[in-house]
Amino acid sequence: MGRKGVINIVELTIVVIILFVSFSIFFPRADYRNRWEDAYAILKSRDIALLLERTGNLRTYAFEPELMENFFEILFPESNLILWSETDGAIKKDIKIACNCTGDTITKLTSWTNGLKLNERDITMSFCSANLDYLGPCVENSDVMLIWDYKVLQPYEQALSDYIASGKGIVEVMDFRYQSSGNAVDDDSVQRNIFGLKWIDIKKAKDAQDEFAREPDDATDIIFNPYKYFYNIPLPLEARNEDGAIEDCSYNPIKNGTFSFKGTNYTFWICNESSIWFDTNGDEFYDSWVKERSEITIGGYTFLLNYVNSDSSISISFKPDYVFDDFLVYIAPPGEPDPPGEGWGTRRVAHIEPIDDNTDRILMKSVSVSPPREYPCVILNQFGDTGVAWMAEFSEDGFGDDEKMLLTSLLLWASNKRTTSGEVSDIRLGYMTSYITVENVDMFEVYKFSLGLGYPF
């Protein structure tokens, strides 16, 4: 072959390469790919959520991750799908409270909230001891923080701000007292910037009563949920004492306990699995028989018997318009300067107001007729969806079940309400289906349930 023939072959090869590249550019090969895995995951998550809702099991499975996982394994025994779920907006089944308080206080709080039940699901509130100087696992794993008794919080402002930014609220229970060296509210940036409080003055106190400052306007009102919780969430009451038989009651011996408010104990006797006897006037004699889910008037106020939990426990809820004995006042310690004002003695009331003068943030107020006065005793503040609250120390003159329920309502309101369960790591592809659902046995409760399905790597 001559030199000319070799050149022709090289030129021909170049032309073929150019044509091949041109065709691949101007006429690209069509690549068809189905998204069956995507559609399958989406459809299955929707089907499971609807199946749970239609069979009445959504409420149970949404708050019981183990049941959800077992249910999924029964439906898809050979599947490699990964399941996880979330709830958002509902009071969690297990609420962890980081309590900056004494061990005795934690013991009391545990007793007060033991047996809490809402919309037929059990609510567990567990308390751990929190040290503000060392924000360890107790604080990190908590849903809400409780700070009991007065302390200077300014050194912890950044830590408390970060805690709130994580979606967890704070409740403080304390009396602010007169200090000749400075002001306990205005001199503490945490009280100003986080709780939104300011000091007005201090007065000598006379008898008063505490009541909700107003009714909430709508569901966006800052006081809406604390107000709703107090008047709807059932308060658990234990019956520890044993009595002899009562006619027509199946429990023998019969157990009794007390419901305490406004300085009076009202005894109840658990008759059978669905009814009780109540002493409604405080004379320690059973005079009113009440069935589960029925209202009863005790001491002039209306209540609802939500549950007869067992032969040793009931749950009861308050109804509007209940008023409290005054818990804003405190007993002045020896040596405290004597403030101006009406009356004599050691009883004092510190006048605290919202720092922004927004009275809508006042949940409860102390009201005196003579002389006429109104002082806030519970003030709320909000950062996005996260709430914080100041509540006056209520236990100095003893405390009742009404005050326990008020504190419980504030803790539930301020707690984190987003729960994530199941495996959410090592997922190559995943989809989540959200479902808005409602419960309304004890209280109207709207929350979002989300179910995710995905494929591993």
Side-chain angles (χ1 to χ4, degrees), residues 133-427:
D133 292 309
Y134 169 67
L135 302 182
C138 173
V139 175
E140 293 170 1
N141 299 326
S142 64
D143 299 298
V144 61
M145 183 184 295
L146 173 61
I147 301 173
W148 197 305
D149 286 335
Y150 173 73
K151 47 187 63 69
V152 178
L153 297 178
Q154 185 163 322
Y156 314 105
E157 181 173 7
Q158 187 58 56
L160 295 177
S161 296
D162 292 342
Y163 185 82
I164 293 169
S166 69
K168 306 169 184 180
I170 305 172
V171 177
E172 62 173 352
V173 178
M174 64 178 71
D175 286 332
F176 295 105
R177 301 186 175 185
Y178 181 84
Q179 296 179 1
S180 57
S181 59
N183 188 293
V185 178
D186 295 344
D187 289 346
D188 192 326
S189 58
V190 169
Q191 303 302 337
R192 299 193 312 271
N193 300 333
I194 292 182
F195 292 97
L197 308 176
K198 68 178 178 180
W199 175 275
I200 302 300
D201 58 17
I202 191 166
K203 295 286 187 182
K204 294 179 180 177
K206 288 189 175 181
D207 290 337
Q209 67 181 25
D210 296 345
E211 60 189 46
F212 284 95
R214 58 187 178 89
E215 294 183 358
D217 294 329
D218 52 42
T220 64
D221 195 326
I222 188 173
I223 74 166
F224 178 81
N225 279 324
Y227 182 96
K228 180 176 74 169
Y229 290 177
F230 178 80
Y231 282 126
N232 289 277
I233 293 180
L235 170 74
L237 298 171
E238 286 188 308
R240 299 178 178 178
N241 305 313
E242 289 188 353
D243 275 342
I246 295 180
E247 186 178 357
D248 296 328
C249 289
S250 58
Y251 291 149
N252 183 14
I254 197 168
K255 293 183 179 179
N256 71 66
T258 57
F259 181 33
S260 174
F261 60 91
K262 298 177 74 69
T264 303
N265 292 329
Y266 300 90
T267 306
F268 63 89
W269 294 260
I270 303 180
C271 185
N272 53 47
E273 66 276 1
S274 62
S275 64
I276 66 174
W277 279 99
F278 232 116
D279 162 26
T280 59
N281 56 17
D283 64 359
E284 300 183 359
F285 182 78
Y286 53 93
D287 49 45
S288 293
W289 181 74
V290 57
K291 293 188 65 177
E292 195 175 58
R293 315 305 304 180
S294 298
E295 290 187 348
I296 183 172
T297 301
I298 307 170
Y301 295 99
T302 302
F303 303 90
L304 175 70
L305 177 62
N306 297 74
Y307 301 105
V308 178
N309 301 311
S310 65
D311 68 343
S312 57
S313 174
I314 66 171
S315 297
I316 194 168
S317 57
F318 293 77
K319 294 299 168 189
D321 294 315
Y322 181 81
V323 297
F324 297 73
D325 281 343
D326 188 23
F327 59 80
L328 180 60
V329 296
Y330 71 90
I331 306 300
E336 180 175 283
D338 192 19
E342 301 84 2
W344 299 95
T346 60
R347 295 176 70 83
R348 305 280 190 268
V349 56
H351 188 179
I352 310 297
E353 290 280 352
I355 195 170
D356 56 0
D357 296 320
N358 178 10
T359 57
D360 286 345
R361 294 202 289 116
I362 301 172
L363 176 67
M364 292 194 65
K365 61 185 179 181
S366 175
V367 180
S368 175
V369 176
S370 177
R373 65 176 177 87
E374 293 185 359
Y375 295 154
C377 52
V378 180
I379 298 177
L380 311 178
N381 203 11
Q382 198 145 17
F383 300 86
D385 294 330
T386 306
V388 300
W390 163 72
M391 177 182 180
E393 227 290 14
F394 60 85
S395 62
E396 290 182 320
D397 290 334
F399 47 81
D401 291 315
D402 48 351
E403 292 153 338
K404 297 177 190 177
M405 190 64 234
L406 178 60
L407 176 59
T408 300
S409 300
L410 292 175
L411 290 172
L412 294 176
W413 167 71
S415 65
N416 175 34
K417 296 178 180 62
R418 185 173 182 269
T419 303
T420 301
S421 61
E423 181 63 54
V424 292
S425 61
D426 297 332
I427 293 179

Side-chain angles (χ1 to χ4, degrees), residues 113-142:
T113 58
N114 182 46
L116 192 65
K117 193 174 183 179
L118 172 64
N119 287 336
E120 296 183 338
R121 70 176 188 270
D122 294 327
I123 306 294
T124 300
M125 299 180 72
S126 55
F127 297 83
C128 61
S129 180
N131 186 338
L132 296 179
D133 292 309
Y134 169 67
L135 302 182
C138 173
V139 175
E140 293 170 1
N141 299 326
S142 64

Side-chain angles (χ1 to χ4, degrees), residues 41-42 45-46 84-86 418 420 424 430-434 448-453:
I42 293 172
S45 61
R46 290 177 181 174
W84 74 96
S85 62
E86 296 180 358
R418 185 173 182 269
T420 301
V424 292
Y431 292 93
M432 179 169 282
T433 297
S434 296
K448 180 173 70 173
F449 168 73
S450 299
L451 181 66
L453 291 178

Side-chain angles (χ1 to χ4, degrees), residues 4-28:
K4 185 176 180 180
V6 172
I7 294 173
N8 288 339
I9 292 174
V10 171
E11 290 175 346
L12 180 62
T13 302
I14 293 172
V15 170
V16 170
I17 292 172
I18 292 172
L19 288 174
F20 181 80
V21 172
S22 299
F23 269 94
S24 66
I25 294 174
F26 293 105
F27 304 99

